[in-house]
């Protein structure tokens, strides 16, 4: 039979609930192995006791195993609350079904029956003691059915020569089981001791890590506080220097003042680097996500350094390559901070030649782009050994006492860590004597790939400069206001009517140069109002009328013209088409109709 580790400990009160739970989980996970062993025993019995007896034993043992599986699942819900007495009893009962196999083989009368019975007995003991190696007393209890089977066989041999031979096998089996249990217990003791030692080492490492983190936090807090505190007097020094510069000073005093300001600016830059480094190490560096116009970012990053390069006699080249979107989302301040460091170094370490700043865009998806900002200089280059420590804090390539350039060596470290926080990186390629290329790569969300050209304003001015008097007939107050404001912007006078009946009344008493008539209105629609104005030989019988409608059907256009209108415009209003109509008003109705007939505008039908 197949048992599990530590079952007997629960019976003896040695096993804690957590260990009991682990033991039972192991049983549930490996319970199907017992069916494999049952099948192998049944095959062994098949040729010895016959198919009928072997099948009966197989079915009975499988049923006992299935019953035991149900009990295991049931007690798993109450591990640690008295389950230890239940499980060994069930395990012993199911072992009894297994112990029938050696009895069947022994009393089968087959020539191979006795050897098979001995093999089954020994393998049964080994299985139990191997599974319960950490609890030998409980192994003895659960394997007792095998002992009962062996006793039955021994009794059957009383008075025969085989009695003492069979009895002599008992110490042999007991010695083997004793060695198995002893070696297992020794091995488990060593494993337990190793695990305890390992747990002790882990605890010491965790304590050392906590002490190191505390020391690092203390250092970061100290640097943060000091940099903040030093910025306050530095602002006073620089502010006073600026005020002093605006007073009357002698040449030597102005030179000394220049030294103070330059030294103060360098010290303030150093404080800013220390503060940024402290924020990064403490995980408090803040990033904002806003819409960025690529052209503006390009000018903001390259602009200051183009002037510096040209003042130094260098050629500065900047350009876009690939697919660069018009607008992306990101933190322009932090991106520029990284680029400014790369461009500043390029200008500082290049004595002759050129600086190239290339922005390459690669489309990753419809809403995703990767930027590669490459800064290439023609300076002295960097040796391969120096590249390995280039991004280490407080490290410079030229660390000698006679180095030409100052600085703390924090710039590239901060730049790369900022790039990493933005899920990007900075890579460098350099050849000694030829120059270096620093590439800052980062991905961004695309807001707009192509920029939208600003729509040119459409003016209501007439070519000959004269002002028109226009009647606007529109039931929607917002549309009336928009048309009136648009025409008023060019000096045209406007009158308004909210429906066709009001328009007819107004047109009967006042002369207009143009009538703009909506079609769908309450009280009287635009077509009926147009017919009424044309039917009366009044002041506006020959005034050009342009009708407005949301319908773009040709038959509606023709209906408007048949009602007496001279042009037909679709809604929303095309102000360019309306402006063209207004420029033909000087030619009367014929001038407006000639515009429609010539097909100069698609908006006017």
């Amino acid at each position: 039979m197949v048992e599990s580790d530590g079952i007997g400990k629960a019976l003896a009160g040695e096993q804690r609930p957590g260990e009991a739970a682990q033991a039972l989980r192991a049983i549930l996970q490996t319970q199907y192995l017992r069916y494999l062993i049952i099948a192998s025993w049944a095959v062994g019995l098949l040729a010895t006791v016959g198919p009928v007896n072997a099948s009966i034993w197989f079915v009975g043992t499988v049923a006992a195993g299935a019953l035991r599986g149900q009990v295991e699942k049931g007690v798993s819900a109450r591990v640690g609350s008295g389950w230890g007495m239940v499980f060994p009893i069930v395990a012993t009962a199911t072992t009894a079904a297994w112990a029938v196999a050696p009895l069947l083989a022994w009393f089968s009368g087959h020539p191979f029956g006795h050897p098979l019975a001995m093999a089954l007995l020994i393998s049964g003991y080994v299985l139990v003691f191997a599974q319960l190696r950490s609890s030998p007393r409980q192994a003895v209890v659960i394997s007792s059915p095998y002992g009962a089977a062996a006793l039955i066989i021994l009794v059957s041999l009383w008075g025969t020569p085989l009695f003492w031979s069979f009895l002599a096998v008992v110490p042999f089996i007991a010695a083997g089981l004793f060695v198995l249990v002893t070696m297992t217990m020794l091995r488990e003791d060593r494993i337990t001791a190793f695990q305890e030692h390992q747990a002790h080492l882990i605890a010491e490492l965790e304590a050392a890590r906590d002490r190191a983190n505390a020391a690092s936090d203390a250092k970061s807090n100290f640097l943060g506080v000091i940099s903040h505190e030093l910025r306050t007097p530095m602002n006073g020094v620089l502010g006073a220097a600026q005020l002093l510069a605006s007073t009357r000073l002698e040449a030597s005093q102005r030179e000394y003042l220049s030294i103070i300001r330059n030294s103060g600016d360098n010290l303030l830059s150093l404080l800013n680097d220390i503060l940024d480094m402290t924020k990064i190490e403490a995980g408090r560096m803040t990033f904002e996500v806003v819409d960025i116009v690529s052209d503006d970012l390009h000018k903001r990053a390259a602009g200051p350094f183009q002037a510096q390069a040209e003042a130094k006699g260098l050629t500065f080249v900047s350009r876009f390559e690939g697919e660069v979107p018009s607008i992306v989302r990101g933190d322009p301040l932090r991106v520029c901070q990284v680029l400014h460091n790369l461009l500043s170094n390029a200008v500082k370490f290049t004595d002759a030649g050129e600086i190239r700043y290339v922005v390459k865009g690669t489309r990753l998806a419809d809403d995703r782009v990767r930027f590669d900002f490459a800064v290439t200089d023609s300076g002295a280059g960097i040796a391969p050994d120096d590249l390995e420590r280039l991004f280490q804090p407080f490290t410079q390539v030229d660390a000698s006492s006679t180095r030409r350039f100052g600085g703390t060596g924090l710039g590239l470290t901060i730049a790369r860590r900022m790039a990493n926080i933005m899920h990007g990186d900075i890579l460098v390629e350099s050849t000694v004597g030829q120059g270096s290329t620093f590439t800052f790569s980062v991905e961004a969300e695309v807001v707009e790939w192509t920029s939208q050209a600003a729509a040119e304003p459409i003016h209501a001015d007439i070519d000959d400069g004269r002002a028109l008097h226009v009647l606007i007939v529109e039931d929607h107050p917002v549309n009336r206001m928009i048309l009136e404001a648009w025409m008023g912007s060019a000096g045209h006078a406007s009158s308004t009517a909210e429906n066709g009946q009001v328009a007819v009344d107004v047109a009967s008493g006042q002369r207009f140069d143009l009538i703009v008539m909506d079609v769908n209105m309450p009280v009287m629609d635009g077509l009926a109002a147009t017919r009424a104005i044309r039917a009366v030989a009044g002041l506006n019988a020959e005034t050009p009328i342009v009708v407005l409608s949301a319908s773009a059907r040709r038959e509606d256009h023709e209906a408007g013209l048949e009602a007496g209108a001279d042009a037909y415009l679709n809604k929303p209003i095309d102000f360019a088409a309306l402006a063209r109509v207004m420029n033909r008003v000087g030619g009367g109705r014929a001038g407006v109709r000639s515009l429609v007939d010539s097909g100069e505008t698609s908006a006017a039908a």
Side-chain angles (χ1 to χ4, degrees), residues 523-544:
V523 183
M524 179 184 289
D525 62 52
L527 298 184
T530 300
R531 295 189 189 97
I533 293 173
R534 295 295 188 220
V536 178
L539 297 174
N540 293 288
E542 294 301 320
T543 298

Side-chain angles (χ1 to χ4, degrees), residues 213-231 271 274-275 277-279 281-282 284 394:
N213 290 338
S216 178
D217 291 341
K219 178 204 69 174
S220 298
N221 292 333
F222 172 76
L223 290 176
V225 171
I226 287 298
S227 60
H228 270 297
E229 292 299 325
L230 289 178
R231 285 168 65 91
L271 292 176
I274 293 176
L275 184 59
M277 195 68 183
T278 303
K279 287 181 178 179
E281 290 185 347
R284 294 197 296 265
F394 304 103

Side-chain angles (χ1 to χ4, degrees), residues 458 486 569 573-582 595 601-604:
I458 300 172
W486 181 70
L569 296 182
I573 301 171
D574 184 348
F575 286 101
L578 181 55
R580 286 191 287 271
V581 170
M582 294 171 64
L595 176 65
T601 172
S602 60

Side-chain angles (χ1 to χ4, degrees), residues 314-507:
L314 305 174
T315 302
F316 191 93
V317 179
S318 64
R319 68 175 185 271
F320 287 109
E321 291 183 357
E323 294 183 279
V324 178
S326 174
I327 302 175
V328 296
R329 289 185 64 78
D331 189 332
L333 177 64
R334 300 305 181 188
V335 172
C336 284
Q337 188 172 351
V338 174
L339 294 177
H340 284 177
N341 180 271
L342 301 182
L343 289 166
S344 175
N345 287 342
V347 174
K348 180 168 65 173
F349 294 109
T350 303
D351 295 326
E354 69 172 14
I355 305 295
R356 281 186 285 117
Y357 169 57
V358 180
V359 181
K360 181 180 179 181
T362 303
R363 183 193 290 257
L364 303 178
D366 290 340
D367 61 345
R368 200 74 183 166
V369 67
R370 185 183 75 245
F371 283 111
D372 294 309
F373 302 92
V375 178
T376 303
D377 62 64
S378 57
I382 305 171
D385 294 339
D386 293 329
L387 287 176
E388 297 180 358
R389 57 189 181 89
L390 188 62
F391 293 98
Q392 296 178 5
F394 304 103
T395 302
Q396 288 191 325
V397 172
D398 182 9
S400 65
S401 60
T402 59
R403 59 191 177 99
R404 297 169 53 199
F405 305 101
T408 61
L410 283 175
L412 282 176
T413 303
I414 293 172
R416 189 173 215 177
R417 293 193 182 182
M418 281 189 175
N420 295 153
I421 294 174
M422 291 185 282
H423 306 290
D425 199 4
I426 297 177
L427 302 178
V428 57
E429 297 178 358
S430 185
T431 303
V432 176
Q434 298 182 13
S436 307
T437 298
F438 287 81
T439 303
F440 167 37
S441 300
V442 67
E443 294 183 12
E445 177 187 353
V446 177
V447 177
E448 191 175 295
W449 280 101
T450 57
S451 59
Q452 301 293 330
E456 296 184 1
I458 300 172
H459 301 289
D461 300 273
I462 303 300
D463 292 341
D464 56 12
R466 69 190 183 95
L468 301 179
H469 190 190
V470 182
L471 173 60
I472 301 172
V473 187
E474 168 66 64
D475 64 321
H476 199 288
V478 175
N479 292 341
R480 289 200 305 270
M481 180 189 68
I482 292 173
L483 282 168
E484 190 174 9
W486 181 70
M487 292 184 179
S489 66
H492 302 300
S494 302
S495 299
T496 59
E498 63 270 20
N499 58 62
Q501 183 60 59
V502 176
V504 172
D505 295 340
V506 173

Side-chain angles (χ1 to χ4, degrees), residues 10 16 45 58 67 76 130 160 233 257 288 332 353 359 375 435 445 477 490 533 544 553:
R16 295 187 298 270
L45 290 173
F58 176 76
L67 177 62
S76 65
T160 66
L257 180 61
E288 64 175 351
V359 181
V375 178
E445 177 187 353
I533 293 173
R553 297 189 308 167

Side-chain angles (χ1 to χ4, degrees), residues 195-254:
Q195 290 175 340
E196 291 176 352
H197 179 64
Q198 188 178 46
H200 177 69
L201 291 178
I202 291 174
E204 289 186 345
L205 288 174
E206 290 177 345
R209 179 201 61 194
D210 293 339
R211 289 193 297 270
N213 290 338
S216 178
D217 291 341
K219 178 204 69 174
S220 298
N221 292 333
F222 172 76
L223 290 176
V225 171
I226 287 298
S227 60
H228 270 297
E229 292 299 325
L230 289 178
R231 285 168 65 91
T232 301
M234 278 308 304
N235 288 332
V237 171
L238 293 176
Q242 292 178 7
L243 293 175
L244 186 59
S246 63
T247 63
R248 292 176 177 268
L249 297 174
E250 297 178 0
S252 59
Q253 292 174 329
R254 193 166 295 278

Side-chain angles (χ1 to χ4, degrees), residues 515-556:
I515 299 176
V516 180
M517 181 79 70
D518 188 20
V519 171
N520 298 310
M521 293 182 293
V523 183
M524 179 184 289
D525 62 52
L527 298 184
T530 300
R531 295 189 189 97
I533 293 173
R534 295 295 188 220
V536 178
L539 297 174
N540 293 288
E542 294 301 320
T543 298
I545 299 177
V546 55
V547 293
L548 306 175
S549 176
S551 174
R553 297 189 308 167
R554 185 171 185 80
E555 51 267 33
D556 293 331

